[in-house]
Amino acid sequence: MSVSYAQHFLLAGWSVLTGVALGILYEFFRLLHRLHRRAAWLIFLEDLLFCLCCTAAMALLFFNLSYGQMRLYAFAGAVLGFLLWYCTVGALFRRAVSKLYRTLLPPCRRWKARLYTKRESLRFRRRAKAGLGVRRFWRKQIRRKKENATES
C-alpha cells in the first residue's frame, strides 16, 4: 500500500504542530516543577507523565496519518515544532511567568506568614484553655498515687 505525497505533507505539518503542542505541555510541567522543587520523586513522576504524553501523541499521529508506519521526518518535525515553541513564544512565556512569580512571591510570603501566625496563636489558645498539658500531668500523678495506694 503506498501513501500519497499529500499524506506525507499532512504528516509533516501535523508533526510540527504536535511538537508545538508538546512544547506548550512541557511549559506547564515546568511550572509544576517550580511549585515543588525539593520533591524529586514527584518531579520524576511528572517527567514520566510527560514522556507518556509524548509517546501517545506520536503514536496517534502515526496511526492516524501514516497507517502506523513510523517516518523519521515526523520525529524531526516534532522536534522542530518543540524547538520553535521553546525558543520563541516559550521564551516569552517563561519570562512573563518569571516576572509574575517575582511580583507575586513577596505578598504570598506575607500571607503565608500571617496565616501561620494566626493558626499557631489559635492552637496556643486552645492548649492554654486545656491547661497547656498540666491537667494531663496531674491526672497521671493522681492515677499513679491511686495505683500505688491499691498495691500497698
Side-chain angles (χ1 to χ4, degrees), residues 7 10-11 14-15 18 22 51-70 74-75:
Q7 197 74 17
L10 195 61
L11 177 63
W14 275 104
S15 66
T18 301
L22 291 174
C51 290
L52 290 173
C53 290
C54 291
T55 304
M58 293 306 286
L60 286 172
L61 187 72
F62 287 130
F63 284 126
N64 288 327
L65 294 175
S66 67
Y67 305 108
Q69 295 178 349
M70 291 188 188
F75 286 111

mmCIF file with all atom_site columns, all heavy atoms in Angstrom, residues 7 10-11 14-15 18 22 51-70 74-75:
data_model
loop_
_atom_site.group_PDB
_atom_site.id
_atom_site.type_symbol
_atom_site.label_atom_id
_atom_site.label_alt_id
_atom_site.label_comp_id
_atom_site.label_asym_id
_atom_site.label_entity_id
_atom_site.label_seq_id
_atom_site.pdbx_PDB_ins_code
_atom_site.Cartn_x
_atom_site.Cartn_y
_atom_site.Cartn_z
_atom_site.occupancy
_atom_site.B_iso_or_equiv
_atom_site.pdbx_formal_charge
_atom_site.auth_seq_id
_atom_site.auth_comp_id
_atom_site.auth_asym_id
_atom_site.auth_atom_id
_atom_site.pdbx_PDB_model_num
ATOM 1   N N   . GLN A 1 7  ? -0.415 12.969 1.792  1.00 0.00 ? 7  GLN A N   1
ATOM 2   C CA  . GLN A 1 7  ? -0.423 12.369 3.130  1.00 0.00 ? 7  GLN A CA  1
ATOM 3   C C   . GLN A 1 7  ? 0.908  12.620 3.844  1.00 0.00 ? 7  GLN A C   1
ATOM 4   O O   . GLN A 1 7  ? 0.931  12.876 5.048  1.00 0.00 ? 7  GLN A O   1
ATOM 5   C CB  . GLN A 1 7  ? -0.691 10.862 3.007  1.00 0.00 ? 7  GLN A CB  1
ATOM 6   C CG  . GLN A 1 7  ? -1.118 10.216 4.278  1.00 0.00 ? 7  GLN A CG  1
ATOM 7   C CD  . GLN A 1 7  ? -2.554 10.560 4.639  1.00 0.00 ? 7  GLN A CD  1
ATOM 8   O OE1 . GLN A 1 7  ? -3.329 11.021 3.814  1.00 0.00 ? 7  GLN A OE1 1
ATOM 9   N NE2 . GLN A 1 7  ? -2.890 10.343 5.881  1.00 0.00 ? 7  GLN A NE2 1
ATOM 10  N N   . LEU A 1 10 ? 0.912  16.212 4.947  1.00 0.00 ? 10 LEU A N   1
ATOM 11  C CA  . LEU A 1 10 ? -0.008 16.322 6.079  1.00 0.00 ? 10 LEU A CA  1
ATOM 12  C C   . LEU A 1 10 ? 0.656  15.805 7.357  1.00 0.00 ? 10 LEU A C   1
ATOM 13  O O   . LEU A 1 10 ? 0.567  16.438 8.418  1.00 0.00 ? 10 LEU A O   1
ATOM 14  C CB  . LEU A 1 10 ? -1.287 15.533 5.777  1.00 0.00 ? 10 LEU A CB  1
ATOM 15  C CG  . LEU A 1 10 ? -2.490 15.790 6.652  1.00 0.00 ? 10 LEU A CG  1
ATOM 16  C CD1 . LEU A 1 10 ? -2.931 17.245 6.544  1.00 0.00 ? 10 LEU A CD1 1
ATOM 17  C CD2 . LEU A 1 10 ? -3.635 14.885 6.228  1.00 0.00 ? 10 LEU A CD2 1
ATOM 18  N N   . LEU A 1 11 ? 1.341  14.681 7.258  1.00 0.00 ? 11 LEU A N   1
ATOM 19  C CA  . LEU A 1 11 ? 2.050  14.120 8.403  1.00 0.00 ? 11 LEU A CA  1
ATOM 20  C C   . LEU A 1 11 ? 3.141  15.077 8.875  1.00 0.00 ? 11 LEU A C   1
ATOM 21  O O   . LEU A 1 11 ? 3.306  15.299 10.083 1.00 0.00 ? 11 LEU A O   1
ATOM 22  C CB  . LEU A 1 11 ? 2.650  12.757 8.057  1.00 0.00 ? 11 LEU A CB  1
ATOM 23  C CG  . LEU A 1 11 ? 3.482  12.084 9.146  1.00 0.00 ? 11 LEU A CG  1
ATOM 24  C CD1 . LEU A 1 11 ? 2.634  11.776 10.373 1.00 0.00 ? 11 LEU A CD1 1
ATOM 25  C CD2 . LEU A 1 11 ? 4.108  10.807 8.608  1.00 0.00 ? 11 LEU A CD2 1
ATOM 26  N N   . TRP A 1 14 ? 1.430  18.131 10.594 1.00 0.00 ? 14 TRP A N   1
ATOM 27  C CA  . TRP A 1 14 ? 0.863  17.763 11.897 1.00 0.00 ? 14 TRP A CA  1
ATOM 28  C C   . TRP A 1 14 ? 1.941  17.409 12.904 1.00 0.00 ? 14 TRP A C   1
ATOM 29  O O   . TRP A 1 14 ? 1.759  17.601 14.113 1.00 0.00 ? 14 TRP A O   1
ATOM 30  C CB  . TRP A 1 14 ? -0.128 16.614 11.747 1.00 0.00 ? 14 TRP A CB  1
ATOM 31  C CG  . TRP A 1 14 ? -1.493 17.113 11.383 1.00 0.00 ? 14 TRP A CG  1
ATOM 32  C CD1 . TRP A 1 14 ? -2.077 17.066 10.164 1.00 0.00 ? 14 TRP A CD1 1
ATOM 33  C CD2 . TRP A 1 14 ? -2.424 17.744 12.269 1.00 0.00 ? 14 TRP A CD2 1
ATOM 34  N NE1 . TRP A 1 14 ? -3.315 17.630 10.222 1.00 0.00 ? 14 TRP A NE1 1
ATOM 35  C CE2 . TRP A 1 14 ? -3.565 18.056 11.507 1.00 0.00 ? 14 TRP A CE2 1
ATOM 36  C CE3 . TRP A 1 14 ? -2.409 18.082 13.608 1.00 0.00 ? 14 TRP A CE3 1
ATOM 37  C CZ2 . TRP A 1 14 ? -4.675 18.692 12.058 1.00 0.00 ? 14 TRP A CZ2 1
ATOM 38  C CZ3 . TRP A 1 14 ? -3.513 18.711 14.148 1.00 0.00 ? 14 TRP A CZ3 1
ATOM 39  C CH2 . TRP A 1 14 ? -4.625 19.009 13.380 1.00 0.00 ? 14 TRP A CH2 1
ATOM 40  N N   . SER A 1 15 ? 3.065  16.889 12.440 1.00 0.00 ? 15 SER A N   1
ATOM 41  C CA  . SER A 1 15 ? 4.144  16.580 13.382 1.00 0.00 ? 15 SER A CA  1
ATOM 42  C C   . SER A 1 15 ? 4.736  17.866 13.956 1.00 0.00 ? 15 SER A C   1
ATOM 43  O O   . SER A 1 15 ? 5.076  17.916 15.144 1.00 0.00 ? 15 SER A O   1
ATOM 44  C CB  . SER A 1 15 ? 5.213  15.724 12.726 1.00 0.00 ? 15 SER A CB  1
ATOM 45  O OG  . SER A 1 15 ? 5.867  16.437 11.712 1.00 0.00 ? 15 SER A OG  1
ATOM 46  N N   . THR A 1 18 ? 2.232  19.051 16.432 1.00 0.00 ? 18 THR A N   1
ATOM 47  C CA  . THR A 1 18 ? 2.317  18.196 17.621 1.00 0.00 ? 18 THR A CA  1
ATOM 48  C C   . THR A 1 18 ? 3.506  18.595 18.479 1.00 0.00 ? 18 THR A C   1
ATOM 49  O O   . THR A 1 18 ? 3.406  18.637 19.707 1.00 0.00 ? 18 THR A O   1
ATOM 50  C CB  . THR A 1 18 ? 2.428  16.717 17.206 1.00 0.00 ? 18 THR A CB  1
ATOM 51  O OG1 . THR A 1 18 ? 1.301  16.371 16.427 1.00 0.00 ? 18 THR A OG1 1
ATOM 52  C CG2 . THR A 1 18 ? 2.509  15.814 18.419 1.00 0.00 ? 18 THR A CG2 1
ATOM 53  N N   . LEU A 1 22 ? 3.310  19.806 22.294 1.00 0.00 ? 22 LEU A N   1
ATOM 54  C CA  . LEU A 1 22 ? 4.114  19.183 23.344 1.00 0.00 ? 22 LEU A CA  1
ATOM 55  C C   . LEU A 1 22 ? 4.999  20.213 24.043 1.00 0.00 ? 22 LEU A C   1
ATOM 56  O O   . LEU A 1 22 ? 5.249  20.110 25.245 1.00 0.00 ? 22 LEU A O   1
ATOM 57  C CB  . LEU A 1 22 ? 4.956  18.048 22.771 1.00 0.00 ? 22 LEU A CB  1
ATOM 58  C CG  . LEU A 1 22 ? 4.166  16.822 22.309 1.00 0.00 ? 22 LEU A CG  1
ATOM 59  C CD1 . LEU A 1 22 ? 5.086  15.827 21.632 1.00 0.00 ? 22 LEU A CD1 1
ATOM 60  C CD2 . LEU A 1 22 ? 3.423  16.180 23.459 1.00 0.00 ? 22 LEU A CD2 1
ATOM 61  N N   . CYS A 1 51 ? 6.574  12.125 29.295 1.00 0.00 ? 51 CYS A N   1
ATOM 62  C CA  . CYS A 1 51 ? 7.066  11.169 28.297 1.00 0.00 ? 51 CYS A CA  1
ATOM 63  C C   . CYS A 1 51 ? 5.933  10.297 27.759 1.00 0.00 ? 51 CYS A C   1
ATOM 64  O O   . CYS A 1 51 ? 5.874  10.012 26.557 1.00 0.00 ? 51 CYS A O   1
ATOM 65  C CB  . CYS A 1 51 ? 8.163  10.301 28.889 1.00 0.00 ? 51 CYS A CB  1
ATOM 66  S SG  . CYS A 1 51 ? 9.695  11.191 29.184 1.00 0.00 ? 51 CYS A SG  1
ATOM 67  N N   . LEU A 1 52 ? 5.033  9.894  28.640 1.00 0.00 ? 52 LEU A N   1
ATOM 68  C CA  . LEU A 1 52 ? 3.882  9.110  28.188 1.00 0.00 ? 52 LEU A CA  1
ATOM 69  C C   . LEU A 1 52 ? 2.973  9.934  27.275 1.00 0.00 ? 52 LEU A C   1
ATOM 70  O O   . LEU A 1 52 ? 2.432  9.406  26.297 1.00 0.00 ? 52 LEU A O   1
ATOM 71  C CB  . LEU A 1 52 ? 3.102  8.579  29.385 1.00 0.00 ? 52 LEU A CB  1
ATOM 72  C CG  . LEU A 1 52 ? 3.796  7.487  30.191 1.00 0.00 ? 52 LEU A CG  1
ATOM 73  C CD1 . LEU A 1 52 ? 2.988  7.157  31.451 1.00 0.00 ? 52 LEU A CD1 1
ATOM 74  C CD2 . LEU A 1 52 ? 3.987  6.248  29.350 1.00 0.00 ? 52 LEU A CD2 1
ATOM 75  N N   . CYS A 1 53 ? 2.809  11.215 27.583 1.00 0.00 ? 53 CYS A N   1
ATOM 76  C CA  . CYS A 1 53 ? 2.010  12.091 26.723 1.00 0.00 ? 53 CYS A CA  1
ATOM 77  C C   . CYS A 1 53 ? 2.662  12.225 25.346 1.00 0.00 ? 53 CYS A C   1
ATOM 78  O O   . CYS A 1 53 ? 1.969  12.198 24.320 1.00 0.00 ? 53 CYS A O   1
ATOM 79  C CB  . CYS A 1 53 ? 1.835  13.461 27.362 1.00 0.00 ? 53 CYS A CB  1
ATOM 80  S SG  . CYS A 1 53 ? 0.761  13.480 28.799 1.00 0.00 ? 53 CYS A SG  1
ATOM 81  N N   . CYS A 1 54 ? 3.990  12.376 25.320 1.00 0.00 ? 54 CYS A N   1
ATOM 82  C CA  . CYS A 1 54 ? 4.708  12.468 24.040 1.00 0.00 ? 54 CYS A CA  1
ATOM 83  C C   . CYS A 1 54 ? 4.551  11.179 23.239 1.00 0.00 ? 54 CYS A C   1
ATOM 84  O O   . CYS A 1 54 ? 4.307  11.219 22.025 1.00 0.00 ? 54 CYS A O   1
ATOM 85  C CB  . CYS A 1 54 ? 6.191  12.739 24.276 1.00 0.00 ? 54 CYS A CB  1
ATOM 86  S SG  . CYS A 1 54 ? 6.535  14.368 24.911 1.00 0.00 ? 54 CYS A SG  1
ATOM 87  N N   . THR A 1 55 ? 4.665  10.055 23.926 1.00 0.00 ? 55 THR A N   1
ATOM 88  C CA  . THR A 1 55 ? 4.518  8.767  23.251 1.00 0.00 ? 55 THR A CA  1
ATOM 89  C C   . THR A 1 55 ? 3.125  8.604  22.677 1.00 0.00 ? 55 THR A C   1
ATOM 90  O O   . THR A 1 55 ? 2.961  8.170  21.521 1.00 0.00 ? 55 THR A O   1
ATOM 91  C CB  . THR A 1 55 ? 4.823  7.624  24.241 1.00 0.00 ? 55 THR A CB  1
ATOM 92  O OG1 . THR A 1 55 ? 6.131  7.818  24.776 1.00 0.00 ? 55 THR A OG1 1
ATOM 93  C CG2 . THR A 1 55 ? 4.737  6.276  23.576 1.00 0.00 ? 55 THR A CG2 1
ATOM 94  N N   . ALA A 1 56 ? 2.121  8.964  23.458 1.00 0.00 ? 56 ALA A N   1
ATOM 95  C CA  . ALA A 1 56 ? 0.739  8.850  22.985 1.00 0.00 ? 56 ALA A CA  1
ATOM 96  C C   . ALA A 1 56 ? 0.490  9.782  21.802 1.00 0.00 ? 56 ALA A C   1
ATOM 97  O O   . ALA A 1 56 ? -0.175 9.398  20.825 1.00 0.00 ? 56 ALA A O   1
ATOM 98  C CB  . ALA A 1 56 ? -0.230 9.158  24.124 1.00 0.00 ? 56 ALA A CB  1
ATOM 99  N N   . ALA A 1 57 ? 1.021  10.985 21.874 1.00 0.00 ? 57 ALA A N   1
ATOM 100 C CA  . ALA A 1 57 ? 0.821  11.941 20.776 1.00 0.00 ? 57 ALA A CA  1
ATOM 101 C C   . ALA A 1 57 ? 1.464  11.444 19.484 1.00 0.00 ? 57 ALA A C   1
ATOM 102 O O   . ALA A 1 57 ? 0.841  11.502 18.406 1.00 0.00 ? 57 ALA A O   1
ATOM 103 C CB  . ALA A 1 57 ? 1.394  13.302 21.165 1.00 0.00 ? 57 ALA A CB  1
ATOM 104 N N   . MET A 1 58 ? 2.676  10.924 19.595 1.00 0.00 ? 58 MET A N   1
ATOM 105 C CA  . MET A 1 58 ? 3.334  10.437 18.389 1.00 0.00 ? 58 MET A CA  1
ATOM 106 C C   . MET A 1 58 ? 2.662  9.174  17.861 1.00 0.00 ? 58 MET A C   1
ATOM 107 O O   . MET A 1 58 ? 2.542  8.991  16.634 1.00 0.00 ? 58 MET A O   1
ATOM 108 C CB  . MET A 1 58 ? 4.825  10.186 18.668 1.00 0.00 ? 58 MET A CB  1
ATOM 109 C CG  . MET A 1 58 ? 5.616  11.446 18.957 1.00 0.00 ? 58 MET A CG  1
ATOM 110 S SD  . MET A 1 58 ? 5.463  12.725 17.706 1.00 0.00 ? 58 MET A SD  1
ATOM 111 C CE  . MET A 1 58 ? 6.451  12.035 16.407 1.00 0.00 ? 58 MET A CE  1
ATOM 112 N N   . ALA A 1 59 ? 2.209  8.312  18.751 1.00 0.00 ? 59 ALA A N   1
ATOM 113 C CA  . ALA A 1 59 ? 1.513  7.097  18.298 1.00 0.00 ? 59 ALA A CA  1
ATOM 114 C C   . ALA A 1 59 ? 0.220  7.456  17.582 1.00 0.00 ? 59 ALA A C   1
ATOM 115 O O   . ALA A 1 59 ? -0.097 6.891  16.522 1.00 0.00 ? 59 ALA A O   1
ATOM 116 C CB  . ALA A 1 59 ? 1.229  6.185  19.487 1.00 0.00 ? 59 ALA A CB  1
ATOM 117 N N   . LEU A 1 60 ? -0.534 8.396  18.148 1.00 0.00 ? 60 LEU A N   1
ATOM 118 C CA  . LEU A 1 60 ? -1.764 8.827  17.478 1.00 0.00 ? 60 LEU A CA  1
ATOM 119 C C   . LEU A 1 60 ? -1.465 9.462  16.128 1.00 0.00 ? 60 LEU A C   1
ATOM 120 O O   . LEU A 1 60 ? -2.192 9.240  15.150 1.00 0.00 ? 60 LEU A O   1
ATOM 121 C CB  . LEU A 1 60 ? -2.525 9.820  18.359 1.00 0.00 ? 60 LEU A CB  1
ATOM 122 C CG  . LEU A 1 60 ? -3.245 9.231  19.550 1.00 0.00 ? 60 LEU A CG  1
ATOM 123 C CD1 . LEU A 1 60 ? -3.781 10.336 20.447 1.00 0.00 ? 60 LEU A CD1 1
ATOM 124 C CD2 . LEU A 1 60 ? -4.386 8.332  19.083 1.00 0.00 ? 60 LEU A CD2 1
ATOM 125 N N   . LEU A 1 61 ? -0.405 10.233 16.078 1.00 0.00 ? 61 LEU A N   1
ATOM 126 C CA  . LEU A 1 61 ? -0.011 10.871 14.831 1.00 0.00 ? 61 LEU A CA  1
ATOM 127 C C   . LEU A 1 61 ? 0.323  9.830  13.767 1.00 0.00 ? 61 LEU A C   1
ATOM 128 O O   . LEU A 1 61 ? -0.166 9.903  12.638 1.00 0.00 ? 61 LEU A O   1
ATOM 129 C CB  . LEU A 1 61 ? 1.199  11.778 15.089 1.00 0.00 ? 61 LEU A CB  1
ATOM 130 C CG  . LEU A 1 61 ? 1.651  12.660 13.948 1.00 0.00 ? 61 LEU A CG  1
ATOM 131 C CD1 . LEU A 1 61 ? 0.640  13.770 13.741 1.00 0.00 ? 61 LEU A CD1 1
ATOM 132 C CD2 . LEU A 1 61 ? 3.000  13.251 14.271 1.00 0.00 ? 61 LEU A CD2 1
ATOM 133 N N   . PHE A 1 62 ? 1.102  8.836  14.133 1.00 0.00 ? 62 PHE A N   1
ATOM 134 C CA  . PHE A 1 62 ? 1.494  7.814  13.161 1.00 0.00 ? 62 PHE A CA  1
ATOM 135 C C   . PHE A 1 62 ? 0.322  6.931  12.754 1.00 0.00 ? 62 PHE A C   1
ATOM 136 O O   . PHE A 1 62 ? 0.169  6.600  11.580 1.00 0.00 ? 62 PHE A O   1
ATOM 137 C CB  . PHE A 1 62 ? 2.633  6.956  13.691 1.00 0.00 ? 62 PHE A CB  1
ATOM 138 C CG  . PHE A 1 62 ? 3.955  7.661  13.709 1.00 0.00 ? 62 PHE A CG  1
ATOM 139 C CD1 . PHE A 1 62 ? 4.736  7.663  14.846 1.00 0.00 ? 62 PHE A CD1 1
ATOM 140 C CD2 . PHE A 1 62 ? 4.415  8.319  12.593 1.00 0.00 ? 62 PHE A CD2 1
ATOM 141 C CE1 . PHE A 1 62 ? 5.954  8.308  14.861 1.00 0.00 ? 62 PHE A CE1 1
ATOM 142 C CE2 . PHE A 1 62 ? 5.631  8.966  12.595 1.00 0.00 ? 62 PHE A CE2 1
ATOM 143 C CZ  . PHE A 1 62 ? 6.409  8.963  13.739 1.00 0.00 ? 62 PHE A CZ  1
ATOM 144 N N   . PHE A 1 63 ? -0.491 6.537  13.705 1.00 0.00 ? 63 PHE A N   1
ATOM 145 C CA  . PHE A 1 63 ? -1.595 5.642  13.359 1.00 0.00 ? 63 PHE A CA  1
ATOM 146 C C   . PHE A 1 63 ? -2.656 6.342  12.526 1.00 0.00 ? 63 PHE A C   1
ATOM 147 O O   . PHE A 1 63 ? -3.285 5.724  11.670 1.00 0.00 ? 63 PHE A O   1
ATOM 148 C CB  . PHE A 1 63 ? -2.227 5.031  14.612 1.00 0.00 ? 63 PHE A CB  1
ATOM 149 C CG  . PHE A 1 63 ? -1.405 3.944  15.210 1.00 0.00 ? 63 PHE A CG  1
ATOM 150 C CD1 . PHE A 1 63 ? -1.039 3.983  16.538 1.00 0.00 ? 63 PHE A CD1 1
ATOM 151 C CD2 . PHE A 1 63 ? -0.974 2.872  14.444 1.00 0.00 ? 63 PHE A CD2 1
ATOM 152 C CE1 . PHE A 1 63 ? -0.266 2.982  17.098 1.00 0.00 ? 63 PHE A CE1 1
ATOM 153 C CE2 . PHE A 1 63 ? -0.205 1.865  14.986 1.00 0.00 ? 63 PHE A CE2 1
ATOM 154 C CZ  . PHE A 1 63 ? 0.148  1.917  16.310 1.00 0.00 ? 63 PHE A CZ  1
ATOM 155 N N   . ASN A 1 64 ? -2.860 7.617  12.756 1.00 0.00 ? 64 ASN A N   1
ATOM 156 C CA  . ASN A 1 64 ? -3.907 8.322  12.021 1.00 0.00 ? 64 ASN A CA  1
ATOM 157 C C   . ASN A 1 64 ? -3.462 8.843  10.663 1.00 0.00 ? 64 ASN A C   1
ATOM 158 O O   . ASN A 1 64 ? -4.278 8.958  9.757  1.00 0.00 ? 64 ASN A O   1
ATOM 159 C CB  . ASN A 1 64 ? -4.458 9.480  12.855 1.00 0.00 ? 64 ASN A CB  1
ATOM 160 C CG  . ASN A 1 64 ? -5.306 8.987  13.999 1.00 0.00 ? 64 ASN A CG  1
ATOM 161 O OD1 . ASN A 1 64 ? -5.971 7.964  13.882 1.00 0.00 ? 64 ASN A OD1 1
ATOM 162 N ND2 . ASN A 1 64 ? -5.269 9.698  15.098 1.00 0.00 ? 64 ASN A ND2 1
ATOM 163 N N   . LEU A 1 65 ? -2.181 9.177  10.511 1.00 0.00 ? 65 LEU A N   1
ATOM 164 C CA  . LEU A 1 65 ? -1.762 9.821  9.272  1.00 0.00 ? 65 LEU A CA  1
ATOM 165 C C   . LEU A 1 65 ? -0.836 8.992  8.391  1.00 0.00 ? 65 LEU A C   1
ATOM 166 O O   . LEU A 1 65 ? -0.650 9.311  7.225  1.00 0.00 ? 65 LEU A O   1
ATOM 167 C CB  . LEU A 1 65 ? -1.095 11.165 9.588  1.00 0.00 ? 65 LEU A CB  1
ATOM 168 C CG  . LEU A 1 65 ? -2.038 12.207 10.186 1.00 0.00 ? 65 LEU A CG  1
ATOM 169 C CD1 . LEU A 1 65 ? -1.271 13.444 10.571 1.00 0.00 ? 65 LEU A CD1 1
ATOM 170 C CD2 . LEU A 1 65 ? -3.150 12.546 9.220  1.00 0.00 ? 65 LEU A CD2 1
ATOM 171 N N   . SER A 1 66 ? -0.232 7.935  8.938  1.00 0.00 ? 66 SER A N   1
ATOM 172 C CA  . SER A 1 66 ? 0.657  7.148  8.071  1.00 0.00 ? 66 SER A CA  1
ATOM 173 C C   . SER A 1 66 ? 0.391  5.652  8.213  1.00 0.00 ? 66 SER A C   1
ATOM 174 O O   . SER A 1 66 ? 1.292  4.856  7.984  1.00 0.00 ? 66 SER A O   1
ATOM 175 C CB  . SER A 1 66 ? 2.120  7.478  8.382  1.00 0.00 ? 66 SER A CB  1
ATOM 176 O OG  . SER A 1 66 ? 2.447  7.034  9.669  1.00 0.00 ? 66 SER A OG  1
ATOM 177 N N   . TYR A 1 67 ? -0.809 5.319  8.625  1.00 0.00 ? 67 TYR A N   1
ATOM 178 C CA  . TYR A 1 67 ? -1.226 3.914  8.718  1.00 0.00 ? 67 TYR A CA  1
ATOM 179 C C   . TYR A 1 67 ? -0.298 3.095  9.601  1.00 0.00 ? 67 TYR A C   1
ATOM 180 O O   . TYR A 1 67 ? 0.002  1.944  9.315  1.00 0.00 ? 67 TYR A O   1
ATOM 181 C CB  . TYR A 1 67 ? -1.347 3.283  7.326  1.00 0.00 ? 67 TYR A CB  1
ATOM 182 C CG  . TYR A 1 67 ? -2.262 4.051  6.421  1.00 0.00 ? 67 TYR A CG  1
ATOM 183 C CD1 . TYR A 1 67 ? -1.748 4.789  5.365  1.00 0.00 ? 67 TYR A CD1 1
ATOM 184 C CD2 . TYR A 1 67 ? -3.631 4.050  6.633  1.00 0.00 ? 67 TYR A CD2 1
ATOM 185 C CE1 . TYR A 1 67 ? -2.588 5.507  4.530  1.00 0.00 ? 67 TYR A CE1 1
ATOM 186 C CE2 . TYR A 1 67 ? -4.477 4.771  5.816  1.00 0.00 ? 67 TYR A CE2 1
ATOM 187 C CZ  . TYR A 1 67 ? -3.953 5.499  4.763  1.00 0.00 ? 67 TYR A CZ  1
ATOM 188 O OH  . TYR A 1 67 ? -4.778 6.221  3.956  1.00 0.00 ? 67 TYR A OH  1
ATOM 189 N N   . GLY A 1 68 ? 0.209  3.714  10.680 1.00 0.00 ? 68 GLY A N   1
ATOM 190 C CA  . GLY A 1 68 ? 1.046  3.001  11.627 1.00 0.00 ? 68 GLY A CA  1
ATOM 191 C C   . GLY A 1 68 ? 2.514  2.917  11.255 1.00 0.00 ? 68 GLY A C   1
ATOM 192 O O   . GLY A 1 68 ? 3.308  2.382  12.015 1.00 0.00 ? 68 GLY A O   1
ATOM 193 N N   . GLN A 1 69 ? 2.887  3.426  10.102 1.00 0.00 ? 69 GLN A N   1
ATOM 194 C CA  . GLN A 1 69 ? 4.297  3.393  9.704  1.00 0.00 ? 69 GLN A CA  1
ATOM 195 C C   . GLN A 1 69 ? 5.005  4.624  10.268 1.00 0.00 ? 69 GLN A C   1
ATOM 196 O O   . GLN A 1 69 ? 4.566  5.751  10.066 1.00 0.00 ? 69 GLN A O   1
ATOM 197 C CB  . GLN A 1 69 ? 4.424  3.379  8.188  1.00 0.00 ? 69 GLN A CB  1
ATOM 198 C CG  . GLN A 1 69 ? 3.874  2.124  7.554  1.00 0.00 ? 69 GLN A CG  1
ATOM 199 C CD  . GLN A 1 69 ? 3.988  2.174  6.045  1.00 0.00 ? 69 GLN A CD  1
ATOM 200 O OE1 . GLN A 1 69 ? 4.283  3.214  5.469  1.00 0.00 ? 69 GLN A OE1 1
ATOM 201 N NE2 . GLN A 1 69 ? 3.751  1.042  5.416  1.00 0.00 ? 69 GLN A NE2 1
ATOM 202 N N   . MET A 1 70 ? 6.097  4.370  10.960 1.00 0.00 ? 70 MET A N   1
ATOM 203 C CA  . MET A 1 70 ? 6.851  5.480  11.538 1.00 0.00 ? 70 MET A CA  1
ATOM 204 C C   . MET A 1 70 ? 7.729  6.102  10.468 1.00 0.00 ? 70 MET A C   1
ATOM 205 O O   . MET A 1 70 ? 8.398  5.400  9.715  1.00 0.00 ? 70 MET A O   1
ATOM 206 C CB  . MET A 1 70 ? 7.698  4.995  12.704 1.00 0.00 ? 70 MET A CB  1
ATOM 207 C CG  . MET A 1 70 ? 6.906  4.583  13.886 1.00 0.00 ? 70 MET A CG  1
ATOM 208 S SD  . MET A 1 70 ? 8.008  4.258  15.253 1.00 0.00 ? 70 MET A SD  1
ATOM 209 C CE  . MET A 1 70 ? 6.863  3.569  16.396 1.00 0.00 ? 70 MET A CE  1
ATOM 210 N N   . ALA A 1 74 ? 8.815  12.724 10.587 1.00 0.00 ? 74 ALA A N   1
ATOM 211 C CA  . ALA A 1 74 ? 7.777  13.127 11.542 1.00 0.00 ? 74 ALA A CA  1
ATOM 212 C C   . ALA A 1 74 ? 8.407  13.390 12.914 1.00 0.00 ? 74 ALA A C   1
ATOM 213 O O   . ALA A 1 74 ? 8.022  14.341 13.600 1.00 0.00 ? 74 ALA A O   1
ATOM 214 C CB  . ALA A 1 74 ? 6.703  12.062 11.643 1.00 0.00 ? 74 ALA A CB  1
ATOM 215 N N   . PHE A 1 75 ? 9.361  12.564 13.317 1.00 0.00 ? 75 PHE A N   1
ATOM 216 C CA  . PHE A 1 75 ? 10.071 12.817 14.564 1.00 0.00 ? 75 PHE A CA  1
ATOM 217 C C   . PHE A 1 75 ? 10.852 14.128 14.473 1.00 0.00 ? 75 PHE A C   1
ATOM 218 O O   . PHE A 1 75 ? 10.850 14.934 15.405 1.00 0.00 ? 75 PHE A O   1
ATOM 219 C CB  . PHE A 1 75 ? 11.029 11.672 14.899 1.00 0.00 ? 75 PHE A CB  1
ATOM 220 C CG  . PHE A 1 75 ? 10.342 10.435 15.376 1.00 0.00 ? 75 PHE A CG  1
ATOM 221 C CD1 . PHE A 1 75 ? 10.325 9.296  14.590 1.00 0.00 ? 75 PHE A CD1 1
ATOM 222 C CD2 . PHE A 1 75 ? 9.706  10.402 16.604 1.00 0.00 ? 75 PHE A CD2 1
ATOM 223 C CE1 . PHE A 1 75 ? 9.700  8.149  15.022 1.00 0.00 ? 75 PHE A CE1 1
ATOM 224 C CE2 . PHE A 1 75 ? 9.076  9.262  17.054 1.00 0.00 ? 75 PHE A CE2 1
ATOM 225 C CZ  . PHE A 1 75 ? 9.065  8.131  16.251 1.00 0.00 ? 75 PHE A CZ  1
#
